[in-house]
Amino acid sequence: MLFFYRLLFPIAFLFFLPGLIVKLIRRSGWKKTYWERFGLFSSERKKELKDWQGAIWIHAVSVGETNLALTLLKEWNAVNPDRKYIFSTTTTTGQEIARNKAPDNVKVIFCPIDSCLAVTLTLNLLKPSAIVIMETELWPNLVLMAKKRGIKLALVNTRISDKSFGGYRRFRFFFAPLLKAFDCILAQTAMDLDRLQTICPALKETASVSGNIKFDQKAPEREKFDYASVFGPDRTMILSCSTHSPEEALHLDAFKQIRQEFPQASLTIVPRHAERGGDIEKQILDAGFTCFRRSTGTGTEKPDVLLADTTGELPAFIKGADIVLMGKTMAGNDEGQNIIEPALMGKPIISGPKLKNFRQALDVLVKADAVRRIGNDGELAAALRELLTDRPAAEAMGQRAQTVILANRGALQTTVNALEKLMNQ
């Protein structure tokens, strides 16, 4: 199967290349060294990275995984600050965040595409002592070629979503050898561990439950966003957080329904993909609202809606919000975005009925009566009305959310301990 994967990868990549180019053009972030995705490093970068040969390589995909991996990196770095690390991302937005936040003993690169040539060029340059992959980023060439070189491999904070489990199980003859190649696998939950062992029974010796590192996130140290500078003083801020199409239309409709009753309410929309900003701006205007678009600095002063189509500012927007509408949970979306982040900041949260990718977090919040979960899209306006009417109750719900998140910490230290053990073997 690996033979056919390697044979067909170049052909499949040609089909994905146009979409990759479009994303590269439309998305913001660091692009200067993007050729590293093809294993191509400038002579200056080669010289710079040569001093990092033998370092531990940590890989994350995009913004969410990057922030999580940086949390792990900083905790692990405190145990042994003399170590050197390589940190890779796939997206330009993740790359920019990593470059801005990584400690001095870390070099940030783009992860190579999973072609034999790109992976070989990158491994030859870096010669890492270990590769730590966040969640479930299984690239066959990278994993198996690293294993063949005797590089230690770890898969941490791993989850197997409902959507992906069927595919992994159906093609376990292909995925089982990949999972077996890892020296250490840390699953978020017992369900994730059970799914991993269903795919590859041989994992009984190398896989265990660590918990979810997302519970160990720290509240952002940065200042909260100054909403008054956009909307004026004394506003109640509703934040549409990490939205996916067509949630924006639903949120705008609910906002319209409650606006006359609560004229002090304002809405900020932060789309999960900033490149959708133009389409969302049109939706806002078509809904009859005035809009200010943050990415371009254009629109109406003191608008009805702020469109925050930027990257890296979400924590500040959450920190300044009064109510958070959780993205990717409504209007046909059910996989969810990181609900732990607003909960950790003590925010009253309205969520759709399912968060498949954050099931554990939603479960603990529901049990603690620390989230307002709607059964269907038609309940959104009523849920907003409820929280806007009884602000003390809403704030108490937010405090319960923060308390329950703090009570579920511990995965970060478990993960660091496991990785230290791996490095000392």
Side-chain angles (χ1 to χ4, degrees):
M1 186 67 177
L2 182 63
F3 170 78
F4 290 107
Y5 173 81
R6 288 175 171 170
L7 182 67
L8 296 175
F9 182 87
I11 299 171
F13 181 71
L14 290 177
F15 285 97
F16 286 103
L17 185 59
L20 196 67
I21 293 172
V22 169
K23 286 181 180 179
L24 179 62
I25 293 171
R26 295 184 66 184
R27 283 187 180 174
S28 59
W30 177 272
K31 304 178 183 181
K32 184 178 178 181
T33 56
Y34 194 77
W35 283 107
E36 292 172 0
R37 292 229 63 199
F38 302 92
L40 302 176
F41 294 80
S42 68
S43 55
E44 181 180 346
R45 285 284 277 168
K46 286 180 179 178
K47 183 178 180 181
E48 178 184 359
L49 291 167
K50 189 174 182 180
D51 292 334
W52 258 251
Q53 287 184 350
I56 296 170
W57 178 357
I58 298 177
H59 173 61
V61 182
S62 189
V63 174
E65 296 86 355
T66 296
N67 283 321
L68 193 67
L70 287 169
T71 298
L72 171 61
L73 173 59
K74 289 172 183 177
E75 187 75 14
W76 195 9
N77 192 37
V79 175
N80 192 336
D82 293 329
R83 279 203 185 110
K84 291 182 177 181
Y85 298 88
I86 298 292
F87 193 107
S88 70
T89 73
T90 300
T91 67
T92 56
T93 48
Q95 185 80 182
E96 183 167 14
I97 288 172
R99 285 177 172 271
N100 289 335
K101 294 184 177 181
D104 291 339
N105 60 337
V106 179
K107 293 296 181 184
V108 180
I109 66 167
F110 276 103
C111 186
I113 61 171
D114 202 44
S115 74
C116 289
L117 178 59
V119 170
T120 297
L121 290 171
T122 304
L123 289 176
N124 286 345
L125 175 61
L126 301 180
K127 296 181 172 60
S129 57
I131 299 178
V132 178
I133 298 174
M134 301 300 298
E135 301 202 349
T136 322
E137 188 77 358
L138 296 175
W139 291 111
N141 283 323
L142 177 60
V143 171
L144 296 178
M145 291 171 73
K147 184 70 175 179
K148 190 174 182 180
R149 292 174 182 234
I151 298 168
K152 296 176 181 179
L153 291 167
L155 191 65
V156 304
N157 214 54
T158 309
R159 61 181 176 85
I160 304 294
S161 68
D162 297 344
K163 184 178 180 180
S164 62
F165 179 50
Y168 283 129
R169 183 169 53 184
R170 189 176 304 112
F171 296 100
R172 56 181 174 268
F173 61 88
F174 178 70
F175 289 106
L178 296 183
L179 292 170
K180 191 176 179 181
F182 285 91
D183 302 288
C184 172
I185 297 179
L186 300 177
Q188 291 184 14
T189 68
M191 178 186 289
D192 293 310
L193 179 61
D194 181 66
R195 288 177 171 180
L196 285 164
Q197 291 176 342
T198 298
I199 300 163
C200 180
L203 296 184
K204 294 188 184 296
E205 298 297 323
T206 56
S208 61
V209 176
S210 63
N212 190 343
I213 297 175
K214 289 185 172 73
F215 284 113
D216 290 86
Q217 294 177 93
K218 295 181 180 178
E221 298 177 357
R222 64 187 299 174
E223 294 294 320
K224 63 184 180 182
F225 182 74
D226 182 13
Y227 286 109
S229 66
V230 177
F231 295 103
D234 303 322
R235 310 301 298 176
T236 302
M237 183 48 52
I238 302 167
L239 176 66
S240 293
C241 177
S242 296
T243 56
H244 288 244
S245 178
E247 285 179 314
E248 296 86 10
L250 173 65
H251 293 182
L252 287 166
D253 181 64
F255 181 55
K256 183 178 288 187
Q257 291 182 53
I258 59 95
R259 189 72 188 286
Q260 287 188 341
E261 189 176 348
F262 302 96
Q264 81 282 5
S266 295
L267 178 68
T268 293
I269 298 176
V270 183
R272 177 66 179 84
H273 298 114
E275 63 268 24
R276 295 181 53 238
D279 294 335
I280 299 170
E281 181 181 30
K282 185 177 185 304
Q283 288 185 53
I284 295 169
L285 297 176
D286 288 346
F289 294 116
T290 56
C291 173
F292 184 84
R293 186 174 177 184
R294 184 161 174 78
S295 66
T296 60
T298 57
T300 306
E301 289 188 11
K302 293 185 172 52
D304 301 314
V305 180
L306 168 63
L307 172 56
D309 55 335
T310 53
T311 301
E313 294 188 297
L314 182 59
F317 286 116
I318 296 173
K319 198 170 186 179
D322 296 297
I323 297 172
V324 173
L325 309 182
M326 201 64 238
K328 210 175 185 181
T329 69
M330 307 175 201
N333 294 287
D334 61 6
E335 293 184 353
Q337 291 294 154
N338 186 5
I339 197 171
I340 295 172
E341 197 166 25
L344 180 60
M345 293 186 228
K347 300 300 176 181
I349 303 166
I350 299 176
S351 165
K354 293 181 181 179
L355 280 80
K356 290 180 178 178
N357 292 343
F358 294 87
R359 181 187 288 108
Q360 179 189 15
L362 181 62
D363 286 347
V364 298
L365 290 169
V366 168
K367 288 176 183 176
D369 189 24
V371 61
R372 178 64 166 85
R373 183 170 60 168
I374 61 174
N376 58 70
D377 294 342
E379 298 177 7
L380 179 55
L384 273 172
R385 186 175 290 109
E386 175 186 316
L387 296 185
L388 289 167
T389 299
D390 194 342
R391 298 295 300 135
E395 290 170 7
M397 185 175 74
Q399 288 304 307
R400 290 194 297 274
Q402 184 179 60
T403 299
V404 76
I405 294 302
L406 293 174
N408 279 273
R409 289 186 165 189
L412 182 61
Q413 190 58 55
T414 299
T415 302
V416 169
N417 291 343
L419 291 174
E420 274 295 296
K421 183 180 178 180
L422 174 64
M423 295 309 299
N424 291 326
Q425 287 177 353

